[in-house]
Amino acid sequence: MDFTDKLDILYARRSSEDGKDGESIENQVALLKQYAADKGYYNIKVVTDDGYTGTNFNRPGFQEAFALIQHRRVGRFIVKDLSRLGRNTIEVGQYIGVIFPRFGVEFISVHDGPESSDPDSLVTQFKNIMNEYYAKDISDKQKLSLQARSNSGRHIASTPTYGYKLDPNDRHHWIIDEPAAEVVRLVFKYYNEGMQVSEIARTLEKAKYPAPSHYRKRVVKGSRTENNPYHWTGSSVTAILKRQEYVGDTVNFKTYHTSFKDKQVRYRDEESFTIIRDTQEAIISREEYEKAKKRRKSTKRVIQTRERHLLDDMIFCEDCRKKMYLNFRKYAGGNCYVYICDSYRKKKGCTSHYVQETEVIESVLNAVRQIFDMYKLDKNECRRTLVRWICRRNETRTREVNERIKEITDRLNTINKTEQALFEQKLQQEISQETFTNITVSMNAESESLRTEYGKLLILLDSFDDQKKSVTRFLTKVGTFADMEITKDDRYILEQLIEKVTIQEIETKIKVLVYFVDIGLISVAAL
């Protein structure tokens, strides 16, 4: 292949994961330049990513290089070793074996030798696995470090909550930031006096108090808040009212990730927060906070007929996933409420999934009571039973996911071979440039879609494992209520234990499916 008119990318990466002992960007670049000079590669371009993780490829330097690759302006992509390209086995393999060859790029890992360009070689596969293991190990160590910091009463958030600032003598300690704290006190004062959050927002804006996002200089240039630094919203007021930190407590672990590969931030329920009391000076009293908290709960939309609307906003159609709504029906034999699918009401193709509310309530309460009975009979056996059911429930889905992963891998390999053959045909002038471009563009789009699906499937497999690990957390909640006699008035208990309830219609037969928090769908009858 003729590389004379193409760039040779010298790529260096270093992240916080590498620690103090990690090789610097400067040393990597020096090594790569020396290698290029020894090989006679002079049309070089140095690209670096300093401070970016290797577990994904969303890095500015790499994306800059990849844009050049996509425009077929790159002949070689050279790194010090495989870990500098990335620490995700699947994606690294895809780049080496599929993406780089598709664009005619030769991949070179200086320390790993010629086998590094072959994704199927045992050396490459082993090193990719070890690189990914390293990333996971670092992730696990970071979690342990955060847990240790939390156990000692320190905040794990890198930035103090609005109203506080870092103590200049101790970066792990928060002290009151008086200008912002004044606003926090006003918010609680106004709210506890009966003002609505929207009214409080207008009052603060009129008084020209800077909004939290502007106050902390975190606004995106050109945003509305920057144009109007005093623009408050009801949501920003509510966010302040929810902060238990203002009574002097540390509140950690509000969010989590399903795995080190999953970058999506997920939110825990308040019961799962880690709270350490009295770690910094309070801005408001506990009485003020509890009063506001009680009002926030009481001002949520209250169901007037509590018994009849016990499951309001919790019922969904299993088939179209739309919410189901209550309808009042009059009959000669008596009146009743029924649930009807929203898609059916709007004539969007789904069936009505018609079911009486009393039947749904009875099914849900029975499911919860059976969980309670199992727990009270034998806590350990209850845990083992739930884990067994989760395994059985996910067995078929896991097999389907793994089969789909294999299909995707096979298809990506086929696309790679096809594009290589097309490239050879184009070189031999057996097909035109236009034909080659049209086909490869279509294949590129397909392979990109497949890689995206691949990543989602891996996250799904991780979530199956997380459900088994979540049984203990779920049973902790069950233990709080197990000794209570659950009735049709216990909306609070259901909110703590049930994520949603779906109605499934199979040949005119209606089935009620209960999805519990943390562990998902459990068919109690099958336990």
Side-chain angles (χ1 to χ4, degrees):
M1 186 179 294
D2 184 10
F3 292 105
T4 56
D5 60 342
K6 293 190 175 184
L7 294 170
D8 294 319
I9 299 290
L10 307 183
Y11 180 72
R13 182 188 65 81
R14 185 180 185 276
S15 75
S16 56
E17 301 164 354
D18 298 318
K20 295 181 180 179
D21 297 329
E23 188 166 5
S24 68
I25 291 289
E26 292 75 14
N27 288 345
Q28 290 182 54
V29 171
L31 181 147
L32 295 173
K33 284 184 175 179
Q34 184 61 53
Y35 176 85
D38 292 343
K39 295 292 184 180
Y41 306 154
Y42 295 107
N43 190 20
I44 63 173
K45 177 178 177 62
V46 176
V47 179
T48 64
D49 279 313
D50 198 354
Y52 288 88
T53 179
T55 58
N56 67 72
F57 286 80
N58 187 23
R59 321 168 204 147
F62 182 83
Q63 291 301 320
E64 176 191 357
F66 190 56
L68 295 171
I69 290 172
Q70 289 176 306
H71 287 86
R72 300 187 181 276
R73 294 179 56 191
V74 178
R76 301 180 184 89
F77 190 94
I78 308 172
V79 296
K80 187 197 80 168
D81 57 50
L82 282 171
S83 68
R84 298 307 89 201
L85 176 61
R87 295 190 182 278
N88 184 308
T89 303
I90 299 298
E91 288 194 83
V92 169
Q94 289 297 320
Y95 274 100
I96 295 175
V98 179
I99 300 174
F100 286 158
R102 178 184 304 138
F103 293 103
V105 176
E106 179 185 352
F107 174 74
I108 299 173
S109 173
V110 176
H111 283 179
D112 296 311
E115 282 191 312
S116 63
S117 61
D118 180 7
D120 296 323
S121 74
L122 290 177
V123 172
T124 300
Q125 291 183 33
F126 178 74
K127 289 190 175 183
N128 280 340
I129 291 172
M130 292 306 298
N131 285 331
E132 183 166 321
Y133 172 80
Y134 174 83
K136 184 179 186 304
D137 184 55
I138 290 293
S139 175
D140 291 341
K141 288 178 180 177
Q142 288 174 339
K143 289 179 182 178
L144 290 174
S145 175
L146 290 176
Q147 187 65 60
R149 191 192 307 176
S150 177
N151 292 341
S152 66
R154 295 178 177 180
H155 298 275
I156 63 173
S158 58
T159 304
T161 295
Y162 174 76
Y164 288 100
K165 59 184 179 181
L166 291 178
D167 186 340
N169 299 319
D170 182 359
R171 64 187 183 90
H172 297 296
H173 184 247
W174 292 0
I175 59 176
I176 292 179
D177 182 6
E178 196 53 49
E182 177 189 354
V183 179
V184 172
R185 296 187 189 102
L186 284 175
V187 167
F188 278 90
K189 176 178 180 294
Y190 291 153
Y191 190 73
N192 286 334
E193 289 176 351
M195 291 178 65
Q196 301 295 326
V197 292
S198 57
E199 186 180 0
I200 295 173
R202 290 193 296 270
T203 301
L204 296 175
E205 186 168 350
K206 186 176 181 180
K208 293 192 178 301
Y209 286 105
S213 56
H214 181 83
Y215 184 83
R216 291 175 296 193
K217 298 180 180 180
R218 284 186 177 177
V219 294
V220 179
K221 187 175 182 181
S223 70
R224 182 180 180 184
T225 307
E226 187 179 55
N227 292 334
N228 179 10
Y230 311 110
H231 177 67
W232 283 78
T233 64
S235 59
S236 56
V237 172
T238 300
I240 289 176
L241 293 170
K242 289 181 176 180
R243 291 281 190 176
Q244 188 172 334
E245 289 91 339
Y246 294 133
V247 301
D249 295 344
T250 291
V251 183
N252 289 330
F253 299 110
K254 296 180 180 180
T255 61
Y256 71 100
H257 299 274
T258 57
S259 76
F260 76 99
K261 299 177 187 176
D262 180 18
K263 302 308 175 185
Q264 180 180 348
V265 176
R266 305 169 192 273
Y267 293 88
R268 302 180 190 275
D269 51 54
E270 291 186 16
E271 290 74 18
S272 301
F273 293 171
T274 298
I275 299 174
I276 304 94
R277 292 169 65 97
D278 303 321
T279 57
Q280 70 261 350
E281 186 179 355
I283 294 177
I284 61 167
S285 67
R286 291 189 185 276
E287 291 74 20
E288 289 178 283
Y289 175 78
E290 291 299 330
K291 183 178 180 180
K293 183 177 180 180
K294 184 176 180 180
R295 185 189 168 197
R296 281 193 298 110
K297 288 186 176 181
S298 65
T299 53
K300 290 180 180 179
R301 187 165 63 92
V302 178
I303 302 170
Q304 299 299 323
T305 53
R306 194 80 168 157
E307 180 179 356
R308 290 181 176 174
H309 300 283
L310 176 66
L311 301 176
D312 192 53
D313 294 328
M314 297 176 70
I315 311 297
F316 296 84
C317 173
E318 176 71 17
D319 297 316
C320 72
R321 306 298 178 181
K322 295 293 184 181
K323 186 179 290 186
M324 295 185 66
Y325 289 91
L326 278 174
N327 284 258
F328 184 71
R329 295 295 173 91
K330 295 182 178 181
Y331 297 99
N335 302 329
C336 70
Y337 280 90
V338 299
Y339 279 104
I340 294 180
C341 175
D342 188 45
S343 292
Y344 175 79
R345 291 196 312 161
K346 295 178 179 178
K347 300 180 180 180
K348 293 187 176 180
C350 197
T351 60
S352 68
H353 290 65
Y354 179 98
V355 59
Q356 289 192 18
E357 182 193 25
T358 54
E359 296 178 6
V360 180
I361 290 176
E362 190 60 31
S363 296
V364 171
L365 294 183
N366 283 339
V368 174
R369 288 176 186 138
Q370 289 185 54
I371 294 287
F372 283 0
D373 290 342
M374 286 197 308
Y375 180 85
K376 289 187 289 186
L377 184 64
D378 188 330
K379 298 177 184 178
N380 292 328
E381 182 59 28
C382 180
R383 178 180 291 104
R384 288 191 290 268
T385 300
L386 291 177
V387 171
R388 280 199 303 270
W389 174 249
I390 289 173
C391 291
R392 287 204 303 269
R393 181 191 67 199
N394 292 337
E395 182 179 2
T396 300
R397 185 64 177 133
T398 300
R399 184 170 61 253
E400 292 173 349
V401 170
N402 284 323
E403 289 175 353
R404 179 56 183 160
I405 286 176
K406 185 178 184 305
E407 290 175 0
I408 292 175
T409 303
D410 291 343
R411 178 56 183 162
L412 288 172
N413 288 335
T414 299
I415 291 175
N416 180 42
K417 292 177 182 178
T418 301
E419 289 192 334
Q420 291 295 316
L422 286 170
F423 187 74
E424 293 296 329
Q425 289 179 308
K426 185 177 77 71
L427 291 179
Q428 299 297 326
Q429 297 185 340
E430 296 175 4
I431 60 173
S432 66
Q433 177 65 47
E434 182 180 0
T435 300
F436 175 79
T437 301
N438 290 338
I439 296 175
T440 53
V441 165
S442 175
M443 288 186 171
N444 287 345
E446 181 184 358
S447 60
E448 183 66 29
S449 175
L450 289 173
R451 287 196 304 275
T452 300
E453 182 184 356
Y454 201 125
K456 291 179 179 179
L457 291 175
L458 291 179
I459 292 174
L460 182 59
L461 288 177
D462 286 340
S463 71
F464 291 162
D465 289 334
D466 289 338
Q467 287 173 353
K468 291 185 289 185
K469 297 174 184 176
S470 298
V471 169
T472 300
R473 183 164 65 243
F474 172 70
L475 289 181
T476 299
K477 297 175 184 176
V478 170
T480 305
F481 307 108
D483 292 327
M484 299 181 183
E485 178 59 36
I486 187 169
T487 69
K488 295 182 179 180
D489 294 319
D490 291 319
R491 167 78 181 190
Y492 176 74
I493 294 178
L494 297 184
E495 287 177 339
Q496 303 308 305
L497 300 179
I498 295 177
E499 176 186 349
K500 65 179 179 179
V501 178
T502 64
I503 308 300
Q504 186 177 48
E505 183 175 352
I506 304 176
E507 297 179 353
T508 71
K509 291 184 179 181
I510 296 297
K511 188 175 182 180
V512 178
L513 305 176
V514 181
Y515 289 79
F516 290 94
V517 296
D518 300 320
I519 61 175
L521 175 63
I522 293 294
S523 176
V524 177
L527 295 174

